[in-house]
Amino acid sequence: MAAYRQLKTETQYLRPRHDPWSWRPWYAKPQFYIPIAIALIVIATATVYFAIVAAQLKARAAMFDLSKLEQMESASVILDREGKIFGQIYVENRETIPYDQLPPNLINAVVAVEDAKFYRHHGYDLFGIVRATLKNLVSARVRQGASTITQQLARNSFALKERTFRRKLLEIFLAQRIEDRFGKQKIIELYLNRIYFGGGLYGAEAAARGYFGKHAHEMSLAECATLAGLIKSPNRFSPWTDRAASRDARNYALGRMRDLGLIDNQTWLRAQGEELVVGNRQNAQGQNYAVDYIRQQVINAVGWNRAMNEGFRIRTTIDADLQKVAEESLRKNLERAEQQPDYNHQTYAEYAANFRKAKSAGAVSNEPPPEYLQGAVIGLDNETGGILVLVGGRDFEHNQYDRALQAKRPVGTAMLPFVYAAAFENGMYPGSVVDDSPLDNRAVMIGGTTGILGEWGPESAENRYEGAITTRQALVKSKNGATVRLGMSVGLDPVLQLCRAAGIRSALRPYPATFLGSSEVTLAELALAYTIFPNGGWRPATPHILERIEEKDGSLVWDAKQEQNHQNVIKPETAFEVHSCLVDVLESGTGRTARTQFGLKKFPAAGKTGTAYDFTDALFAGYDSNFTCAVWAGFDKPQKIYRGAFGREIALPVWVDVLNAAAEEHRPREIKRPSNLREVEICARSGLLATDKCYDLVRNASGDEVHKRTTYMELASAAQMPTEPCNVHGEPTALLAREFQSSDADLPRAELAVDLSSVAPVTVKGPTLLAEKDPYNSVKATTKPSPEPEPKLTAQEKIDNGESAVRAVPVNPPRSEPMMTPARAESVETPPPAGPIRKAIPVEPEEEQTPVEIRKAQPVGPLDEESERPILKAQTPPPSDVEQ
């Protein structure tokens, strides 16, 4: 029994006990309440946390200064001299405009695409947030943002960029504050002035001008829809980046406008079929040499921060229309030069293709500098010195080096007018005679291989020496040998001083090579110096490009206060004499193709070609009464452009295009001749007063000998006016006798162009002077070789031969390089002496012999065929008058 009870006791613990909850329903069981309790705790905790965070974020949102919504960085707008928009300077390319200048189609398109409930919500769209959240959860990535226009304005204005829940909540609270502070109209105005439209363009106005070249209020429906379509992805949908993607985004915006009833079906179809015309990206960004120089000047005037952010109106001297003509003409003519058969360099198109490829690969910084043919143009207002045109190169994106303002290059024969101006200032005049013949190149120290200056010759492929010519002809035909002789007769110092007074601040080397433009100067300096000729001898104080800087309301911020005092450089008479020669350059000289080939219109103009040694630089500088322009072409690293690349071939056509365009806006007038300059008839062979005998015997086209008048009307002041009659035609023997018998110090004498006492002259070995590597192909450069020395005879031998023992010898015999002066020009033609020059010694005749008869020189035979001068015998002076 005891064992049974013990077993019963043990087994009762082995049976399952009765569950008191087993009979109750499931919702009454504790297992149900535990998860609910946990969920409630979590919700309560989240609610408390959310409330705390929301309170913190709401308090933070309340701290933002909403007035900054209207304080946007605004680009300073550059205006040309007519008030047209020329460019901008900015950190963000933006120009704010009021609501009434925003086109309704743009507002409707942006609302349709970005926030269809814009006019119904109070800053945020709760259902839109939920919808976007669900879509993002399903796709496991962010596909929809659900930000309203007001939220986007808040985010862009206060740089709320992080992608977190706290940022989104802060954005909502801030949007509510904005809605409380501003109305819908003001919000859309702020939004469309602030947002980024791609391509460096901020705000609707900058985008409209950048993409379509017009103001925002001038945009069509299709253009408005294009801007609205690219807001979601400005770079991907930009018409500059992908035209097809941009068109699809535009059509989506148009479709949304139709679905919302903002446009009808017919308007939708018409807008979809419109072909967009999009402007050049570089022009839209305002990246060119003129804008960059203006930016530098504005920063110097008002400081970097103000220049970039305060939205000034910058009034300049630039002429936007003229600038466009200059840029297009330079591009066109340099492309034409690159097509020449002898052009053996990289072209602009080749470099541009490589540049774009490197840029797309992100390696632009490693791209080598441009090595294609470059060019530059600068144009100045003659009276004020204002810069109307500034082109510093072919492509600002490739290289920002300004070749008009910064580059110093040899200007070649464009320097010649200043040499002649110095000569005219010092007593000579355009009718003075100068010798155009070969010159020892060592006297000039510029290039060459044979030592003969003529091997690189004048502004023409036809290098032909003309002997004694007037200074007018020498300048018009760009005669280098004549110019060097003229410069040396005047002296280096007067020429250098004149150039400096004319505005050339670059150091000019004190060597004769400077007469031919071997010293380097900037194109801007050259243009400023040329203004002395149309201005009657004076120039503006300095070139400038800024006039004034204003606030948007017109209040003055900065004024250039340009000094109106003018710098006098040369006499008005001198300026007009050089001007008259430069007019002839375009009519009959090295620049005559300006009218005959390149279409220079019939208005008063003048100028000078310029070509540097070995065709490394090609220039043209010239002017009308209002405007002076200089054009340059060459390589950044000096090298030959191609054989025959004269200034008249490359630079002149660009100059013609710019001058024609300038003349359309401001008609040039004739430049008045000073009252004390008179016309006088002179002989071109002597530079002296014309006589009835000033004729040359020449052959006409049929080969017959005819007399040709050698006189013309020349300009001269009273001090320059010649007083003697021509000594080449008429009675030259009387003049010779007078010269030999006179000892007056003021009698004109032939002089050396340069002292060559320490330099052995180059011996002429043949009838033609040619360089081994002659870039000018000077097939017509000829001169007479030195005659063989006469055999020496004793006085008795001479008497036996029937000659006089006394021979006439000039007091100052001509040396190797005579300078032809008006009184002695072409009076005699004396070959270089073969040996030492001996003085004439009279020989007494023996008593038994009869004294030799002294005879006067008489003209013998026809004119010399080569010099076209009469062949004269020397007149023998009496023995008592000959120097012992």
Side-chain angles (χ1 to χ4, degrees), residues 709-726:
R709 185 70 170 164
T710 60
T711 65
Y712 74 100
M713 301 302 295
E714 185 55 270
L715 298 171
S717 65
Q720 297 170 329
M721 191 78 66
T723 58
E724 297 184 3
C726 174

Side-chain angles (χ1 to χ4, degrees), residues 321-386:
D321 295 333
L322 210 56
Q323 177 78 15
K324 184 176 181 181
V325 169
E327 291 173 349
E328 291 180 352
S329 180
L330 186 68
R331 174 190 54 78
K332 176 183 67 177
N333 285 286
L334 293 187
E335 286 178 355
R336 179 177 57 83
E338 289 175 337
Q339 303 307 313
Q340 294 295 320
D342 292 340
Y343 182 85
N344 299 315
H345 308 279
Q346 185 182 40
T347 66
Y348 170 83
E350 292 169 345
Y351 182 88
N354 294 333
F355 183 87
R356 287 192 298 269
K357 186 183 298 183
K359 185 175 181 180
S360 62
V364 177
S365 59
N366 297 324
E367 187 70 12
E371 294 183 356
Y372 52 77
L373 183 62
Q374 284 288 355
V377 184
I378 188 168
L380 304 179
D381 183 291
N382 289 340
E383 182 176 359
T384 66

Side-chain angles (χ1 to χ4, degrees), residues 64-83:
F64 285 96
D65 183 4
L66 297 187
S67 65
K68 291 186 177 181
L69 291 171
E70 300 182 82
Q71 297 175 5
M72 289 174 272
E73 291 177 337
S74 184
S76 293
V77 179
I78 299 172
L79 305 175
D80 78 345
R81 64 173 177 166
E82 301 295 335

Side-chain angles (χ1 to χ4, degrees), residues 635-775:
F635 291 93
D636 289 337
K637 182 180 179 181
Q639 53 190 303
K640 181 189 293 185
I641 302 172
Y642 60 84
R643 182 187 178 92
F646 293 102
R648 59 182 168 82
E649 297 290 338
I650 300 178
L652 177 57
V654 180
W655 181 86
V656 168
D657 289 342
V658 176
L659 260 289
N660 281 341
E664 290 180 2
E665 295 186 28
H666 302 279
R667 188 68 185 174
R669 62 188 183 278
E670 287 285 353
I671 295 175
K672 293 183 179 180
R673 185 177 75 188
S675 59
N676 58 346
L677 271 184
R678 294 184 297 163
E679 288 189 338
V680 58
E681 187 179 11
I682 67 166
C683 178
R685 296 284 304 278
S686 65
L688 301 176
L689 296 175
T691 69
D692 293 339
K693 298 181 180 181
C694 289
Y695 288 91
D696 278 348
L697 192 63
V698 298
R699 293 186 182 276
N700 59 18
S702 60
D704 299 328
E705 290 187 345
V706 296
H707 285 86
K708 180 181 178 182
R709 185 70 170 164
T710 60
T711 65
Y712 74 100
M713 301 302 295
E714 185 55 270
L715 298 171
S717 65
Q720 297 170 329
M721 191 78 66
T723 58
E724 297 184 3
C726 174
N727 62 357
V728 173
H729 307 94
E731 298 292 340
T733 55
L735 180 65
L736 287 175
R738 174 188 169 192
E739 180 179 340
F740 292 145
Q741 297 170 7
S742 174
S743 59
D744 296 339
D746 59 348
L747 187 65
R749 303 288 185 182
E751 296 178 352
L752 280 177
V754 63
D755 184 10
L756 295 178
S757 59
S758 62
V759 180
V762 177
T763 303
V764 179
K765 297 182 179 180
T768 303
L769 297 177
L770 289 176
E772 295 179 1
K773 298 180 180 178
D774 175 19

Side-chain angles (χ1 to χ4, degrees), residues 90-385:
Y90 50 82
V91 174
E92 291 184 354
N93 186 0
R94 174 191 291 109
E95 183 180 358
T96 58
I97 55 176
Y99 180 85
D100 58 9
Q101 293 185 25
L102 292 169
N105 282 328
L106 178 61
I107 295 172
N108 290 337
V110 170
V111 169
V113 172
E114 295 296 316
D115 187 3
K117 297 180 181 179
F118 173 70
Y119 294 103
R120 300 196 298 272
H121 63 64
H122 191 66
Y124 66 97
D125 179 8
L126 181 60
F127 291 104
I129 295 173
V130 173
R131 182 180 65 251
T133 302
L134 293 176
K135 285 190 175 182
N136 293 338
L137 289 174
V138 170
S139 62
R141 61 189 179 92
V142 177
R143 298 189 60 182
Q144 202 171 64
S147 293
T148 64
I149 286 176
T150 314
Q151 288 177 260
Q152 293 181 51
L153 176 62
R155 180 167 66 248
N156 291 327
S157 300
F158 297 103
L160 307 178
K161 302 300 182 183
E162 63 272 16
R163 301 171 68 88
T164 64
F165 168 76
R166 290 175 63 88
R167 192 271 297 170
K168 195 70 174 179
L169 193 58
L170 175 62
E171 187 181 288
I172 291 173
F173 289 132
L174 193 53
Q176 287 179 312
R177 280 197 66 206
I178 294 172
E179 292 276 350
D180 292 336
R181 173 80 172 269
F182 302 101
K184 294 291 185 180
Q185 181 174 302
K186 186 64 176 179
I187 290 172
I188 200 69
E189 174 193 315
L190 294 172
Y191 176 76
L192 288 177
N193 275 312
R194 182 175 289 277
I195 59 173
Y196 181 58
F197 284 96
L201 305 170
Y202 292 82
E205 178 70 8
R209 284 206 322 272
Y211 287 119
F212 310 120
K214 59 181 66 174
H215 293 287
H217 66 84
E218 299 172 334
M219 288 192 297
S220 66
L221 171 61
E223 291 167 341
C224 290
T226 299
L227 294 189
L230 58 80
I231 291 176
K232 287 188 181 298
S233 183
N235 294 322
R236 185 157 60 95
F237 294 148
S238 169
W240 289 328
T241 304
D242 191 332
R243 294 294 291 270
S246 178
R247 184 175 58 250
D248 291 344
R250 177 200 68 179
N251 292 342
Y252 171 76
L254 291 170
R256 287 288 296 161
M257 294 177 72
R258 181 198 58 181
D259 295 343
L260 295 174
L262 299 174
I263 58 174
D264 58 33
N265 195 63
Q266 185 177 2
T267 304
W268 168 69
L269 290 173
R270 186 170 55 252
Q272 278 195 323
E274 181 178 329
E275 187 67 27
L276 292 180
V277 178
V278 181
N280 180 272
R281 181 170 190 168
Q282 181 173 324
N283 292 339
Q285 294 175 334
Q287 297 302 306
N288 62 46
Y289 294 93
V291 170
D292 185 63
Y293 181 61
I294 293 168
R295 180 183 63 83
Q296 296 173 30
Q297 297 302 302
V298 174
I299 292 173
N300 290 339
V302 299
W304 192 89
N305 288 328
R306 299 187 69 194
M308 294 297 175
N309 302 321
E310 295 194 15
F312 293 131
R313 314 292 285 185
I314 302 167
R315 300 194 178 274
T316 70
T317 61
I318 284 287
D319 186 315
D321 295 333
L322 210 56
Q323 177 78 15
K324 184 176 181 181
V325 169
E327 291 173 349
E328 291 180 352
S329 180
L330 186 68
R331 174 190 54 78
K332 176 183 67 177
N333 285 286
L334 293 187
E335 286 178 355
R336 179 177 57 83
E338 289 175 337
Q339 303 307 313
Q340 294 295 320
D342 292 340
Y343 182 85
N344 299 315
H345 308 279
Q346 185 182 40
T347 66
Y348 170 83
E350 292 169 345
Y351 182 88
N354 294 333
F355 183 87
R356 287 192 298 269
K357 186 183 298 183
K359 185 175 181 180
S360 62
V364 177
S365 59
N366 297 324
E367 187 70 12
E371 294 183 356
Y372 52 77
L373 183 62
Q374 284 288 355
V377 184
I378 188 168
L380 304 179
D381 183 291
N382 289 340
E383 182 176 359
T384 66

Side-chain angles (χ1 to χ4, degrees), residues 568-580:
N568 292 320
V569 181
I570 54 178
K571 296 190 290 285
E573 300 83 12
T574 300
F576 190 85
E577 287 172 340
V578 176
H579 161 70
S580 68

Side-chain angles (χ1 to χ4, degrees), residues 366-406:
N366 297 324
E367 187 70 12
E371 294 183 356
Y372 52 77
L373 183 62
Q374 284 288 355
V377 184
I378 188 168
L380 304 179
D381 183 291
N382 289 340
E383 182 176 359
T384 66
I387 299 175
L388 307 184
V389 174
L390 179 60
V391 184
R394 294 177 72 176
D395 197 316
F396 184 81
E397 187 179 11
H398 291 173
N399 185 267
Q400 289 75 53
Y401 182 57
D402 193 325
R403 297 155 186 87
L405 300 175
Q406 296 175 281

Side-chain angles (χ1 to χ4, degrees), residues 1-18:
M1 184 59 113
Y4 172 75
R5 284 196 300 270
Q6 183 179 358
L7 179 62
K8 183 178 180 180
T9 302
E10 292 176 355
T11 56
Q12 70 179 352
Y13 292 105
L14 298 175
R15 293 197 305 268
R17 295 186 178 184
H18 177 69

